[in-house]
């Protein structure tokens, strides 16, 4: 099902690339990050084009819950400890600057996008941890305080409140911001060289290249696949569910891991998070529906959808130079669960980087950083990827095709090879090669989305094997 944003805003179609062109900056990806980066650079006087493999905002931007906030869970004590107070402050101030910049653009351009100032709350059961986080965030310069009053349908000890945060309709905003930009849709990039983006429809030659398509698809250099994984989460839009204003998120380790925000008359209830490729039992939407019924018995579901986020090893996005060996390449990825705010951070950072200006917040986001956290995180991602590969080679098949229930999928042996098979309600079988075309891990069936998902780096494919999202660039092989 489409998100409420997709159901209420249609962004104008653009033509694909049809010739060779030259530009100052070429951006890959026309989601929120790519469009904001292009807009900031165009405003700074650069010539910019954006190449989009599918349609504007066809990736994660249309599946967000659209919160604009510097409150990203209980992170500030953690960051202060892991990267030091100075860089934790850079992180906080960069995100606050992003909120200010959204406000400026929306006001100056008169963008009608349901922008509303709201408080952001992170709730939890450990009152000492909440108070300590509020004090730490305040020390870093954020408008933070502890409140014992949490307007939630279950008891908690309280919440950390951040004042002057915001929420909006992401597609209405993006529609307005993308309007004056040169964007080519249906133009997937096949190959990237130092200064060229090669597509089937023409080549773009550019002084600078920005990777802003969610997950970088060039594996070497950069090695982003070894330092990030992807997580999925699920959302219900509920009518007739009374709840207080504000944007609510959970502290790590809480039993109740749900997010709440309102959009007009609707309540958006999020939850069910898991690592991509690790949902073979399914039931995430059903679990959310059960909670919705228990807390809001008179509510009715207006929409449901899911989102996917790139998670970095140390919890800080990668924004800056792609790799030391490619000085003309830049990257914005690893936005955790805070893609709207971080997209704006990326726009400001990469605009300054490309225009040769010093940005006071650049250091903390530098993709070339190596801390204790990132090193152990890289090791974790490696172990996970190796497990995915090992499963492909050695795991015993779980089901035979005849035993797959309608609406479900599984792995069967066909001609001595493992094949992914799923079955429609009418009994039609679809089979795919379960080797992920990215780096070869074994795909897993996700019954909630009826897709084949990769546990290593999060590529996803539909029942026909067609690519839904990367880093893979091609479809999974299909079988007769
Ligand atoms: Fe990397 Fe599948 S996404 S192996």
């Amino acid at each position: 099902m489409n998100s409420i944003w997709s159901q209420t805003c249609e962004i104008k179609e653009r033509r694909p690339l049809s010739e060779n062109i030259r530009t100052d900056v070429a951006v890959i990806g026309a989601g929120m990050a790519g469009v904001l980066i292009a807009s900031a650079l165009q405003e700074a006087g650069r010539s910019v084009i954006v190449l989009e493999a599918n349609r504007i905002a066809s990736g994660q931007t249309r599946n967000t819950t659209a919160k604009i906030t510097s409150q990203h869970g209980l992170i500030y004590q953690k960051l202060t400890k892991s990267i030091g107070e100075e860089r934790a402050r850079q992180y906080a101030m960069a995100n606050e600057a992003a909120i200010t910049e959204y406000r400026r653009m929306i006001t100056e351009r008169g963008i009608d996008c349901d922008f509303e100032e709201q408080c952001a709350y992170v709730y939890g059961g450990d009152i000492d941890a909440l108070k300590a986080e509020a004090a730490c965030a305040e020390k870093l310069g954020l408008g933070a305080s502890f409140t014992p009053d949490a307007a939630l349908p279950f008891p908690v000890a309280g919440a950390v409140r951040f004042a002057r945060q915001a929420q909006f309709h992401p597609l209405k905003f993006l529609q307005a911001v993308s309007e004056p930009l040169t964007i080519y849709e249906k133009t997937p990039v096949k190959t990237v060289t130092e200064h060229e983006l090669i597509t089937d429809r023409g080549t773009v030659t550019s002084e600078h290249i920005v990777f802003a398509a969610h997950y970088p698809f060039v594996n070497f250099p950069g090695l982003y696949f070894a330092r990030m994984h992807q997580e999925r989460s699920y959302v219900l839009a509920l009518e007739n569910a009374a709840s207080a204003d504000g944007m609510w998120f959970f502290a790590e380790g809480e039993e109740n891991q749900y997010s709440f925000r309102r959009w007009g008359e609707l309540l958006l209830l999020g939850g069910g998070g898991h690592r991509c490729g690790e949902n073979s039992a399914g039931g995430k939407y059903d679990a959310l529906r059960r909670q919705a019924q228990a807390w809001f018995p008179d509510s009715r579901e207006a929409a449901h959808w899911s989102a996917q986020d790139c998670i970095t090893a140390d919890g800080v996005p990668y924004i800056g130079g792609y790799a030391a060996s490619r000085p003309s390449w830049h990257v914005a990825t690893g936005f955790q669960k805070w893609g709207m705010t971080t997209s704006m951070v990326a726009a400001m950072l990469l605009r300054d980087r490309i225009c040769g200006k010093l940005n006071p917040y650049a250091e903390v986001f530098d993709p070339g950083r190596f801390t204790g956290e990132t090193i152990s995180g890289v090791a974790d991602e490696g172990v996970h990827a190796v497990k995915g590969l090992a499963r492909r080679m050695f795991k015993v098949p779980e089901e035979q095709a005849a035993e797959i229930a309608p609406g479900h999928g599984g792995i069967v042996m066909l001609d001595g090879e493992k094949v992914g098979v799923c079955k429609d309600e009418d009994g039609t079988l679809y089979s795919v090669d379960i080797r992920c075309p990215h780096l070869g891990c074994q795909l897993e069936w996700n019954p909630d989305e009826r897709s084949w998902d990769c546990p290593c780096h999060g590529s996803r494919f539909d029942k026909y094997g067609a690519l839904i999202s990367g880093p893979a660039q091609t479809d999974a092989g299909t079988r007769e």
Side-chain angles (χ1 to χ4, degrees), residues 21-293:
I21 50 178
R22 277 184 177 275
T23 182
D24 291 342
V25 186
V27 179
I28 305 170
M32 187 62 80
V35 166
L36 285 177
I37 292 164
S39 175
L41 283 159
Q42 189 159 293
E43 221 175 27
R46 298 297 171 122
S47 67
V48 189
I49 65 108
V50 184
L51 297 184
E52 166 57 47
N54 195 345
R55 297 279 323 277
I56 295 171
S58 56
Q60 297 315 311
T61 298
R62 62 182 51 233
N63 298 327
T64 172
T65 50
K67 300 189 270 285
I68 304 172
T69 179
S70 56
Q71 186 188 71
H72 302 166
L74 298 185
I75 55 157
Y76 288 105
Q77 287 178 93
K78 220 196 246 177
L79 287 181
T80 302
K81 210 169 137 202
S82 62
I83 60 177
E85 186 173 322
E86 184 43 43
R87 279 187 284 168
R89 184 172 287 109
Q90 284 180 17
Y91 183 92
M93 291 301 109
N95 281 284
E96 281 292 302
I99 303 171
T100 304
E101 183 63 3
Y102 267 115
R103 215 178 268 124
R104 179 193 74 80
M105 283 176 78
I106 290 166
T107 308
E108 280 181 11
R109 300 185 191 191
I111 301 173
D112 178 8
C113 61
D114 309 335
F115 182 84
E116 273 181 80
E117 280 202 358
Q118 289 281 355
C119 290
Y121 299 87
V122 56
Y123 63 82
D126 183 340
I127 195 162
D128 293 336
L130 296 172
K131 284 182 174 173
E133 177 71 9
C136 176
E138 214 211 341
K139 191 172 171 215
L140 294 176
L142 295 163
S145 57
F146 169 77
T147 172
D149 304 318
L152 293 167
F154 46 85
V156 294
V160 179
R161 179 177 59 201
F162 280 21
R164 299 208 72 207
Q165 311 293 291
Q167 60 188 31
F168 70 153
H169 187 310
L171 299 191
K172 286 184 185 176
F173 174 80
L174 203 66
Q175 182 178 39
V177 178
S178 61
E179 187 64 41
L181 301 176
T182 304
I183 300 175
Y184 297 99
E185 293 187 330
K186 301 274 180 202
T187 307
V189 174
K190 300 290 184 198
T191 309
V192 189
T193 69
E194 185 87 42
H195 289 287
E196 279 181 340
L197 298 179
I198 299 162
T199 82
D200 288 344
R201 298 170 179 277
T203 295
V204 177
T205 306
S206 183
E207 195 185 331
H208 296 276
I209 290 169
V210 178
F211 290 77
H214 189 62
Y215 199 119
F217 58 85
V218 173
N219 296 323
F220 307 99
L223 299 171
Y224 289 93
F225 66 87
R227 343 189 225 161
M228 282 199 301
H229 69 273
Q230 299 205 58
E231 291 184 3
R232 300 193 60 69
S233 55
Y234 301 80
V235 185
L236 300 184
L238 300 170
E239 289 171 349
N240 213 26
S243 76
D245 273 348
M247 306 178 295
W248 297 83
F249 197 75
F250 52 90
E252 209 177 302
E254 282 303 295
E255 190 186 335
N256 284 312
Q257 301 206 340
Y258 300 97
S259 69
F260 303 83
R261 70 154 277 198
R262 299 204 67 82
W263 178 61
E265 295 301 305
L266 297 176
L267 172 68
L268 310 190
L269 168 65
H274 64 84
R275 185 174 173 129
C276 188
E278 296 185 350
N279 186 33
S280 55
K284 301 296 186 193
Y285 284 124
D286 287 343
L288 270 182
R289 286 176 185 127
R290 281 196 297 277
Q291 283 300 352
Q293 274 310 303

Side-chain angles (χ1 to χ4, degrees), residues 215 225 230 436-441 443 454-459 461 470-472:
Y215 199 119
F225 66 87
Q230 299 205 58
C436 177
H438 179 228
L439 289 174
C441 292
L443 303 177
C454 180
C456 289
H457 316 108
S459 294
F461 307 86

